Amino acid sequence: MDEFISIIQFRTAIPFGYLLFSLLWLSVVAWSLKNILNNLREKKFYSPRLYIAGSLLVLSVGYVIASVKYSENINMNPFFNESDLVGEWNYGSSNLVLKPDGTAEINLSKSLLERLDIDNGEGYWRKKGDFNLVLWSNEVNFVSNNRMLRVIEYADKYRLIIEDYDDLDMWDGSLGFKQKNK
């Protein structure tokens, strides 16, 4: 369910994009309420417009509830220690094992390897700054800055997301790697 909620979150870096989205959402809610009330007042209980408006209103309210739940559960700047990250991490069919000695077993999908600009196999990891993790393999292109993972917290559990966005509004919303058995 958490993955679905993260997928439906609206993200944009367009100037006034959130304002435009909010105005559109409010327009849909106002249209739905107006049509529901008109159809009920006129006793048109089987009107297709009533069912469409009701469905849109339910979806709109559901979206707001999901957005509130998502924002309550996400912490983009958690405090953590390197020892909190040790263990096995999964993201779809990709696996990442972070060991206490700073080594890693990297077994990622092709798309994740391209985004991170690393290779599968043995690798290394270390905490960088307050919220980031650098991951590299022996065959890595050291010129690349794509090897950065950001540690976030969702529902009191750490998650690793690929930090290949310039602005947080451009983040795709994916909750990324989830620690196995924690």
Side-chain angles (χ1 to χ4, degrees), residues 150-168:
R150 183 178 182 101
V151 179
I152 64 172
E153 193 173 22
Y154 184 81
D156 298 325
K157 295 188 187 296
Y158 293 116
R159 304 295 285 262
L160 300 176
I161 61 173
I162 298 175
E163 190 168 6
D164 59 355
Y165 47 85
D166 293 328
D167 180 1
L168 188 58

Side-chain angles (χ1 to χ4, degrees), residues 18 41-42 48 55-56 58 75-76 78 98 100 111 121 130 134 137 144 163 172 177:
Y18 291 105
R41 187 172 4 127
E42 295 171 7
S55 298
L56 284 174
V58 167
N75 180 1
M76 294 301 288
L98 303 178
S111 64
D130 291 331
V134 179
S137 62
S144 173
E163 190 168 6
D172 63 4
F177 288 92

Side-chain angles (χ1 to χ4, degrees), residues 6-180:
S6 74
I7 290 169
I8 65 170
Q9 296 305 302
F10 178 74
R11 303 220 182 291
T12 184
I14 297 171
F16 303 107
Y18 291 105
L19 175 64
L20 295 172
F21 178 78
S22 297
L23 291 174
L24 177 65
W25 179 81
L26 285 173
S27 299
V28 168
V29 169
W31 181 87
S32 297
L33 286 172
K34 178 184 125 294
N35 279 287
I36 289 170
L37 293 174
N38 284 344
N39 280 294
L40 291 176
R41 187 172 4 127
E42 295 171 7
K43 297 184 181 181
K44 295 181 181 176
F45 300 118
Y46 300 107
S47 169
R49 187 173 264 193
L50 175 67
Y51 292 111
I52 291 170
S55 298
L56 284 174
L57 188 61
V58 167
L59 287 172
S60 295
V61 169
Y63 182 80
V64 168
I65 292 169
S67 294
V68 168
K69 181 181 188 284
Y70 183 79
S71 64
E72 286 175 350
N73 284 324
I74 196 156
N75 180 1
M76 294 301 288
N77 302 316
F79 176 77
F80 66 96
N81 296 313
E82 283 187 357
S83 60
D84 296 329
L85 304 180
V86 171
E88 186 175 346
W89 296 81
N90 299 314
Y91 180 26
S93 63
S94 298
N95 294 312
L96 177 64
V97 179
L98 303 178
K99 299 178 183 174
D101 63 356
T103 60
E105 292 177 19
I106 303 167
N107 185 15
L108 307 181
S109 68
K110 185 177 179 180
S111 64
L112 293 180
L113 290 173
E114 289 173 2
R115 286 178 66 188
L116 287 167
D117 195 20
I118 60 174
D119 296 315
N120 278 331
E122 290 294 317
Y124 304 94
W125 70 279
R126 67 178 165 82
K127 182 178 177 181
K128 181 177 182 183
D130 291 331
F131 315 113
N132 294 322
L133 171 81
V134 179
L135 182 67
W136 69 96
S137 62
N138 294 330
E139 303 295 323
V140 75
N141 175 3
F142 285 103
V143 178
S144 173
N145 290 324
N146 295 345
R147 302 176 314 266
M148 193 78 65
L149 295 168
R150 183 178 182 101
V151 179
I152 64 172
E153 193 173 22
Y154 184 81
D156 298 325
K157 295 188 187 296
Y158 293 116
R159 304 295 285 262
L160 300 176
I161 61 173
I162 298 175
E163 190 168 6
D164 59 355
Y165 47 85
D166 293 328
D167 180 1
L168 188 58
D169 288 333
M170 295 303 295
W171 172 45
D172 63 4
S174 170
L175 294 174
F177 288 92
K178 185 175 184 178
Q179 198 167 18
K180 190 174 181 179

